[in-house]
Amino acid sequence: MNDNQNNTEFWDVLAGVLIRSFWIGAIFLALWFVFIATGSEWIYNFHSRIFPINSEMFYTLHYAGMMILKSAVCVFFLIPYIAIKWTLAGRNS
């Protein structure tokens, strides 16, 4: 194997890790949304016993957390995956 083939293999493996990480983050985000959308009252009651928080702040924190997670998953996993695949496609043509 030459160095160019080793580099391409490395970037392919890294791209595979990144896209799997993206899907894990996306699934976690979807589950978080489903739990908040369907069981929000129970989740709020549980958290309000532990922390002194009103419902508006509870929803604000959860939706802000979802926004931060979505941004982080896209920035750290999806965009690098696209960049690697784009670069490898340019090399192969």
Side-chain angles (χ1 to χ4, degrees), residues 38-86:
T38 59
S40 60
E41 194 61 35
W42 180 84
I43 297 170
Y44 168 70
N45 289 334
F46 176 78
H47 282 99
S48 64
R49 279 186 261 141
I50 300 169
F51 306 107
I53 189 170
N54 61 18
S55 64
E56 292 161 3
M57 183 58 71
F58 171 79
Y59 289 115
T60 302
L61 288 172
H62 275 279
Y63 287 119
M66 287 183 210
M67 180 190 66
I68 291 168
L69 178 64
K70 181 170 60 171
S71 299
V73 164
C74 288
V75 167
F76 295 119
F77 300 130
L78 185 61
I79 293 173
Y81 168 78
I82 292 170
I84 290 170
K85 285 300 191 177
W86 194 4

